[in-house]
Amino acid sequence: MKRVAVFTSGGDAPGMNACIRAVVRGAVYHGVEVFGIRRGYNGMINGDIFPMTSHSVSNIVQRGGTILKSARSKEFMTPEGRKKAYDQLMSHGIEGLIAIGGNGTFTGALKFFEEYHIPTVGAPGTIDNDLYGTDYTIGYDTAVNTALEAIDKIRDTADSHDRVFFIEVMGRDSGYIAIQSGIAGGAELVMVPEVLTPIPEVVETLKQGWSRSKSSSIIIVAEGDVEGNAVVLAEQIREQVGVDIDMRVTTLGHIQRGGVPTAYDRILASRLGLGALEGLMEGQKNVMAGIVNNELIYTPFIDTIKLPKPINEDLLRMVRILSV
Ligand code: F6P
């Protein structure tokens, strides 16, 4: 393989830049020409494709966001869009792709291969940590630490005012950020999409806390919780609790997607970027590079897309025990 291209797609994640850097510097090391594609699949369709050198990725290992920008492309979901993308890649002589993103990104890459036989190797870039085939995804550690910093601050004011706080963290289909930040932040309860926590149980937990003279409580809610987001939940709980409680809701939102990547994320992203590039050079296709038990492995896209990555339910049990 003589010429490859790298792009970032879907929701951005801190550490994506370190991953791009590893792909580009790895390509330079191996004597492979490397191109960047801006704005994910949209840039592929529009021909926003440019050569990258070692210098293109100087001074980015520590930066959040993605220098290649990102998008969730609707056009690439159409056969016409994919045809345009293929024509653009051919006109630039691109033989293989490195896709940094999540499930939507890999679904697109697989469809593209079925039609045009362009091989792609993926690197898992999403704060949600919801990809089968890797213990951790790029950006997850930073997002957990960002959420934790906010939770610690909210705890100060919750305590001063004897309040109950519902803090919503990201995770459309996944409770990973909620569980980790909840444990580290000493939350009373963590609510996640994977496990139903019935509202009466939340009410009971709060009441038990008050009976033990707890004056403030923090409940972490993943945005995709089955019972509703934090605003909906807080209202339902207010109705059911039967006493007038001082309650506030904070949605942390997109601050979790930005910021300086942690050392962990930079190292993970570097390993996965180089691993994805070297996999592609060795003939891997339609697989995601991942780190499982500290070993680099490649998992077929079809598995990363279809197989669930279960949360550790024992950690939810631990939250309850430790908040007594
Ligand atoms: O997939 C990562 C993620 O941050 C989810 O946790 C969240 O639901 C979603 O992206 C938000 O996407 P957008 O930035 O498009 O609103």
Side-chain angles (χ1 to χ4, degrees):
M1 194 160 288
K2 286 272 158 273
R3 192 177 279 186
V4 301
V6 56
F7 64 99
T8 48
S9 163
D12 65 349
M16 278 184 164
N17 281 327
C19 190
I20 297 166
R21 173 177 175 269
V23 171
V24 172
R25 296 253 163 107
V28 170
Y29 175 82
H30 287 291
V32 173
E33 280 185 272
V34 59
F35 281 61
I37 303 173
R38 289 192 194 87
R39 299 184 177 82
Y41 290 117
N42 282 345
M44 214 182 277
I45 292 167
N46 302 326
D48 200 350
I49 301 171
F50 62 101
M52 296 184 85
T53 64
S54 185
H55 186 64
S56 318
V57 291
S58 295
N59 202 18
I60 65 165
V61 73
Q62 79 284 14
R63 282 170 57 189
T66 158
I67 60 160
L68 292 178
K69 298 183 179 277
S70 197
R72 300 187 200 273
S73 175
K74 290 216 166 63
E75 204 180 346
F76 196 76
M77 291 178 191
T78 67
E80 297 76 25
R82 292 192 291 275
K83 169 79 173 74
K84 283 189 207 166
Y86 175 71
D87 291 343
Q88 290 290 357
L89 292 182
M90 286 307 96
S91 73
H92 287 85
I94 309 281
E95 295 165 278
L97 295 168
I98 305 286
I100 307 167
N103 264 338
T105 308
F106 302 154
T107 305
L110 200 51
K111 185 88 193 139
F112 197 47
F113 182 81
E114 283 163 13
E115 293 169 349
Y116 297 107
H117 311 292
I118 305 263
T120 300
V121 176
T126 164
I127 63 164
D128 287 354
N129 197 33
D130 57 352
L131 287 170
Y132 177 88
T134 191
D135 288 341
Y136 297 106
T137 56
I138 298 163
Y140 168 64
D141 185 61
T142 308
V144 167
N145 280 290
T146 301
L148 181 60
E149 199 185 327
I151 292 165
D152 286 346
K153 287 177 178 165
I154 290 170
R155 187 172 278 291
D156 289 344
T157 176
D159 190 48
S160 305
H161 289 268
D162 297 332
R163 282 176 171 157
V164 174
F165 265 85
F166 287 81
I167 304 177
E168 184 178 301
V169 298
M170 274 189 167
R172 203 175 14 206
D173 308 303
S174 144
Y176 275 93
I177 296 176
I179 292 175
Q180 295 286 107
S181 62
I183 293 171
E188 268 62 36
L189 210 59
V190 175
M191 302 182 70
V192 296
E194 295 89 339
V195 178
L196 173 74
T197 310
I199 289 181
E201 222 173 290
V202 184
V203 172
E204 193 43 41
T205 304
L206 287 173
K207 285 185 174 167
Q208 279 175 11
W210 295 327
S211 73
R212 293 191 306 270
S213 317
K214 259 194 190 191
S215 62
S216 68
S217 302
I218 288 190
I219 296 173
I220 306 294
V221 184
E223 64 174 320
D225 184 71
V226 266
E227 291 272 32
N229 64 22
V231 175
V232 173
L233 272 170
E235 270 326 303
Q236 285 180 305
I237 285 156
R238 187 193 293 284
E239 279 165 24
Q240 291 195 24
V241 84
V243 287
D244 190 22
I245 48 172
D246 199 358
M247 187 187 272
R248 293 290 186 276
V249 178
T250 303
T251 301
L252 298 185
H254 285 77
I255 63 159
Q256 294 159 96
R257 287 248 294 266
V260 168
T262 58
Y264 185 90
D265 268 332
R266 297 182 206 188
I267 295 162
L268 178 71
S270 301
R271 290 180 76 187
L272 291 172
L274 185 61
L277 175 89
E278 292 183 337
L280 186 66
M281 287 174 56
E282 286 158 12
Q284 294 274 5
K285 52 178 173 299
N286 307 324
V287 294
M288 181 192 83
I291 306 279
V292 174
N293 294 330
N294 209 23
E295 293 284 336
L296 180 73
I297 61 157
Y298 300 96
T299 301
F301 280 156
I302 196 73
D303 290 346
T304 70
I305 295 162
K306 291 249 165 76
L307 296 180
K309 181 169 169 180
I311 53 158
N312 181 349
E313 289 192 31
D314 214 36
L315 294 179
L316 290 176
R317 192 180 72 92
M318 188 176 85
V319 170
R320 288 166 191 268
I321 294 173
L322 300 190
S323 71
V324 172

